[in-house]
Amino acid sequence: MEMSRGGEARSKGESCTTWSALSSEGNASICSKSPQEILALFGPHLTNREKLELAAMQEVWYFALFNKSQGFNNDGYDDYERNYILFRHEHLRYRYEVLKKIGEGGQGQVIQCLDHKRNILVAIKILVSPSSSKQETYQKMELQIALELQDEGSDEDFNVIKVLNIFHFRGHYCIVMELLKESLHEVIRNAGLRRLDMAMVKTYTRGILKLLRHINSRKIVHADIKPENVLVKDTVTGTVRITDFGTSFFVESQPMNVGGTLEYLAPELLLGYSLTCGVDMWALGCTVAELATGRELFRSNSHEDHLPRCIEILGMPPRYMVNGAPDRTQFFDHRGKMFCPGKKRVPGSFPLHRVLKSDDPEFVEFISSCLRMEPAQRPSSLLAQASKEKLKVVEEETMVEELVVQEEETLVEELVVLEETLVEELW
């Protein structure tokens, strides 16, 4: 296949025809075409659906026409699992050129693309085509949260992945994001037996905490914190960006079925309780332990085995937490004895310090604090409560306007210090 960079359409055989707004000199001349001009160039090769798509466009920055094999859903564009069937160098919404797949999950695919309007590389998450109104509602929630967190400077101040564009294409919601080099999962894998330097582990931890404190203040739960969803922005400074809000939700509007990745699921989620931002702090503890040890903390054989594995390391949850659990009977009998499908798990028989293989008591205590069975006892909840108490004191004790301003400035300074030193205080 031969690609055009001079503004002219070129073809090689019958398999592909392309046009790009990018000139051979890069940014020297980037000029779009109108849909009518594309129709004049490629009209005989276009399907009725493509002609309708073009009619709704205002500008075309990149076009590629392929004789593609037909899929099984969505007029042949989707596979059995309703994922969009991708071809290298095809276009997405007449602007983005598909280069390669860089990620895949139950909610869609992540693709590296070239943006022919801005001449930059980007990552595009293409969600699966929704099969029900319920699934579409969840997808719209992801889009809403992704946009909700895109305040000016939110990437620098709170380590939120930068969203550059959102569009709908051939039945799929697509999120365009900044392209970053690697995730913490790849950092762990590349480190191998050498393990990561503990100073860098702390740096990554602070970076994730920035995001968690930010979304906590917005009453948003990420619900899938894990090494794969923490991307490295700068390998030297350890700056990170957190991505993938596919399972995220607002605390006041929890979905019926909360997703997430098994190895990082908190006990209250398994037991059927309503969720708070504490599930993210649990996942942070799992992630930091993995950064330090090079392996997943809770390796379980199945969903049914996951809670017993957590209990094997951390001991039994409080009695009230077991007795009041909506999904209690999935894990405990009427006497409160734990079911152990497959491998027998004895509560507390494999304590945390042994799993972590660490002689640093502060590090073990930090992980332990994140993994407390009671969500309200995890650091994020304590930090939020401390902030509320400080605000209440200010409201009650400041009667003069100058004093109010002074107290608010002091409060901000105290909270900044509290945020910056949370890791040091616990670890």
Side-chain angles (χ1 to χ4, degrees):
M1 180 186 64
E2 189 175 355
M3 301 299 296
S4 166
R5 287 293 181 272
E8 296 181 356
R10 300 182 182 180
S11 64
K12 185 175 183 181
E14 296 297 324
S15 62
C16 176
T17 307
T18 64
W19 175 83
S20 170
L22 295 176
S23 72
S24 57
E25 289 81 23
N27 280 321
S29 176
I30 302 179
C31 184
S32 65
K33 282 190 182 297
S34 69
Q36 292 74 23
E37 289 175 304
I38 295 297
L39 282 169
L41 285 171
F42 307 110
H45 303 286
L46 300 178
T47 65
N48 289 333
R49 181 163 180 171
E50 288 172 320
K51 290 176 182 178
L52 289 172
E53 288 175 352
L54 277 168
M57 301 297 297
Q58 294 182 337
E59 300 171 312
V60 177
W61 299 94
Y62 174 70
F63 179 82
L65 177 69
F66 286 80
N67 290 332
K68 301 182 292 185
S69 60
Q70 293 295 298
F72 303 96
N73 291 299
N74 189 23
D75 292 338
Y77 286 114
D78 295 355
D79 62 17
Y80 276 121
E81 297 178 344
R82 309 187 74 84
N83 276 304
Y84 186 76
I85 299 173
L86 293 157
F87 288 83
R88 192 165 181 259
H89 298 304
E90 72 167 310
H91 76 82
L92 296 179
R93 199 169 170 78
Y94 302 91
R95 173 174 170 176
Y96 304 96
E97 177 185 355
V98 173
L99 299 180
K100 63 179 180 180
K101 184 186 296 187
I102 55 179
E104 187 171 14
Q107 300 153 14
Q109 311 165 85
V110 181
I111 315 299
Q112 180 177 316
C113 296
L114 174 62
D115 180 352
H116 282 249
K117 180 177 181 178
R118 300 179 61 191
N119 196 19
I120 60 171
L121 293 174
V122 296
I124 300 183
K125 182 177 181 181
I126 307 176
L127 304 183
V128 298
S129 177
S131 58
S132 65
S133 59
K134 182 178 179 181
Q135 187 177 25
E136 185 168 15
T137 298
Y138 289 160
Q139 291 188 355
K140 288 181 178 179
M141 175 76 76
E142 176 176 3
L143 302 180
Q144 180 184 354
I145 290 176
L147 292 175
E148 171 89 10
L149 297 174
Q150 291 299 305
D151 299 334
E152 183 177 355
S154 62
D155 56 331
E156 297 293 337
D157 296 335
F158 305 115
N159 295 336
V160 180
I161 189 75
K162 184 180 290 185
V163 174
L164 306 174
N165 192 14
I166 289 178
F167 61 88
H168 194 261
F169 182 65
R170 293 177 180 168
H172 297 263
Y173 291 108
C174 302
I175 307 173
V176 184
M177 300 168 287
E178 59 179 323
L179 179 67
L180 300 179
K181 294 181 179 179
E182 60 182 355
S183 69
L184 288 189
H185 174 73
E186 293 164 311
V187 170
I188 294 169
R189 184 181 61 189
N190 293 336
L193 297 176
R194 294 181 289 107
R195 305 283 178 85
L196 293 179
D197 178 72
M198 191 56 72
M200 189 56 74
V201 173
K202 288 185 177 183
T203 298
Y204 291 141
T205 303
R206 293 188 189 97
I208 303 171
L209 276 169
K210 266 190 175 184
L211 180 279
L212 295 186
R213 280 191 289 270
H214 179 52
I215 65 175
N216 192 337
S217 69
R218 302 287 188 96
K219 299 190 182 303
I220 294 172
V221 179
H222 185 283
D224 201 17
I225 295 294
K226 59 180 179 179
E228 289 92 333
N229 289 338
V230 183
L231 306 180
V232 180
K233 176 79 171 181
D234 189 316
T235 55
V236 176
T237 62
T239 305
V240 298
R241 297 288 183 265
I242 287 73
T243 187
D244 196 349
F245 294 89
T247 58
S248 303
F249 58 90
F250 294 94
V251 174
E252 66 271 15
S253 58
Q254 299 192 30
M256 292 294 293
N257 298 310
V258 180
T261 304
L262 179 61
E263 291 77 10
Y264 310 89
L265 296 185
E268 62 269 28
L269 190 154
L270 296 165
L271 290 170
Y273 283 103
S274 295
L275 304 181
T276 67
C277 297
V279 299
D280 288 335
M281 188 56 69
W282 174 281
L284 172 68
C286 298
T287 297
V288 176
E290 192 170 335
L291 286 169
T293 64
R295 57 176 293 169
E296 295 164 346
L297 179 60
F298 298 115
R299 287 189 174 183
S300 48
N301 300 321
S302 65
H303 187 276
E304 292 75 21
D305 182 55
H306 184 64
L307 183 58
R309 173 59 174 161
C310 296
I311 292 173
E312 181 181 44
I313 295 175
L314 303 172
M316 286 289 291
R319 174 63 64 178
Y320 82 87
M321 194 172 175
V322 172
N323 291 343
D327 296 334
R328 175 182 185 275
T329 56
Q330 293 185 25
F331 299 96
F332 303 97
D333 64 18
H334 67 282
R335 296 171 297 174
K337 185 177 180 181
M338 179 177 63
F339 295 134
C340 294
K343 183 176 179 180
K344 183 174 177 58
R345 307 284 191 185
V346 178
S349 61
F350 197 17
L352 184 61
H353 68 89
R354 283 179 54 195
V355 181
L356 296 175
K357 297 180 180 178
S358 174
D359 56 2
D360 182 349
E362 292 182 346
F363 169 67
V364 175
E365 174 55 30
F366 174 78
I367 301 299
S368 178
S369 68
C370 293
L371 300 179
R372 288 169 182 153
M373 287 287 184
E374 298 170 274
Q377 298 302 312
R378 295 174 200 152
S380 62
S381 300
L382 295 175
L383 177 65
Q385 184 61 34
S387 301
K388 290 178 183 177
E389 290 175 357
K390 286 177 179 291
L391 287 170
K392 185 177 179 181
V393 169
V394 171
E395 291 172 354
E396 291 178 349
E397 297 181 356
T398 56
M399 305 299 293
V400 183
E401 186 172 353
E402 291 92 352
L403 187 56
V404 171
V405 174
Q406 181 180 357
E407 288 289 336
E408 287 179 346
E409 291 175 348
T410 302
L411 172 62
V412 170
E413 292 175 359
E414 290 177 352
L415 288 177
V416 168
V417 172
L418 185 59
E419 290 178 357
E420 292 177 346
T421 59
L422 179 60
V423 176
E424 285 81 357
E425 290 177 356
L426 295 173
W427 174 1

